[in-house]
Each structure stands twice: as structure tokens, then as C-alpha cells.
Amino acid sequence: MKQFLLMSLLTISVFASSINFEKDLASAKQKAVAENKKLMIMYSTPTCPECNYMKKKVLKNEQIVSYVNENFVSIILDIKEDEKILPYKFIGIPTFYFVNASNMELIGKKIGGTREEQFLEIVKNIK
């Protein structure tokens, strides 16, 4: 019983500390408008080392998870699989686009990976 309880707590803490990524751009935009939140779009590929660092380390940071989930609706777009629906041009990955969802106006951008403290500062400074 103790093992079951411990496993349950570990499972809850793992799921509690992740950003809620939407499955497609249209529903992410719709949700952001409905909840009066900004949209955070990450361009990525599964083979990008910096993208994977951001996904596995930076975007798992509890402060970042909390802030992003509270203030943004988020989505990750694969630059190869989702190529036809990418709303913005890019020069490198990862690239994070911060967008006013109602009109898709770009309000901020971050190209490349970064450490937790810097990324948290970036998302907090998005107006």
C-alpha cells in the first residue's frame, strides 16, 4: 500500500510539472482567445538537441510551468511535419513565438535555447 501511495504521488508530481501543450494550432488559438491568454508557439524538431534540452529541462521547471500555464496557451509545431501551417518564418530552432491570439499579432520572439532563469524572465516580460 505504501508503494502504491508513493507511486501515485510521484505520478501526480510528474504530470503537475509540465506545460499543457495543445494538439493543433486552430484549437490552441481558439482556447487562447476564449481564456484571454497569449499564445506561445514553439518551433522544433525531434532531432534538435537544443529543442530537446528546452523540452526536457527548461520547460519542466516548476516556475516556468506554472507561469506559462497561467498566462499562455502553448503548442509545439514540428517544422517538418507542420511545415504547411507554420504561421511565421524562422531562421533557426528552437524558436518561441509569443502571439496575441485574437489577431495573431507577434508580440515577442526568442530564437535558440536558453537556461531556466532567462526563459522565465523572457515569458514574464511578454506584454
Side-chain angles (χ1 to χ4, degrees):
M1 182 66 172
K2 286 182 184 181
Q3 288 177 337
F4 175 75
L5 210 63
L6 180 59
M7 288 303 291
S8 296
L9 288 173
L10 288 173
T11 303
I12 290 169
S13 68
V14 166
F15 287 115
S17 62
S18 61
I19 292 175
N20 302 323
F21 288 105
E22 293 298 310
K23 303 292 185 221
D24 66 82
L25 186 57
S27 64
K29 180 182 173 185
Q30 187 176 41
K31 183 177 180 180
V33 169
E35 296 180 8
N36 197 28
K37 292 182 177 181
K38 294 170 183 69
L39 193 58
M40 182 179 85
I41 304 169
M42 178 185 182
Y43 283 10
S44 176
T45 63
T47 57
C48 166
E50 239 357 80
C51 301
N52 290 329
Y53 171 81
M54 293 298 293
K55 291 176 196 173
K56 293 176 182 172
K57 178 83 170 144
V58 176
L59 299 179
K60 298 288 184 182
N61 175 286
E62 288 182 33
Q63 288 180 302
I64 292 170
V65 168
S66 176
Y67 190 85
V68 168
N69 283 341
E70 185 176 321
N71 295 284
F72 296 90
V73 172
S74 304
I75 185 166
I76 297 176
L77 297 177
D78 184 309
I79 62 168
K80 293 179 182 172
E81 284 185 27
D82 301 315
E83 181 179 12
K84 292 181 180 179
I85 64 162
L86 298 178
Y88 305 102
K89 293 184 180 200
F90 64 97
I91 59 171
I93 54 173
T95 299
F96 292 86
Y97 295 95
F98 303 96
V99 179
N100 179 339
S102 63
N103 60 9
M104 292 302 284
E105 175 189 3
L106 187 63
I107 54 177
K109 176 171 63 171
K110 166 66 178 109
I111 301 171
T114 188
R115 303 293 178 243
E116 291 99 330
E117 299 81 22
Q118 289 83 15
F119 192 78
L120 184 59
E121 187 175 320
I122 288 166
V123 294
K124 285 185 173 182
N125 286 323
I126 296 298
K127 303 292 180 210

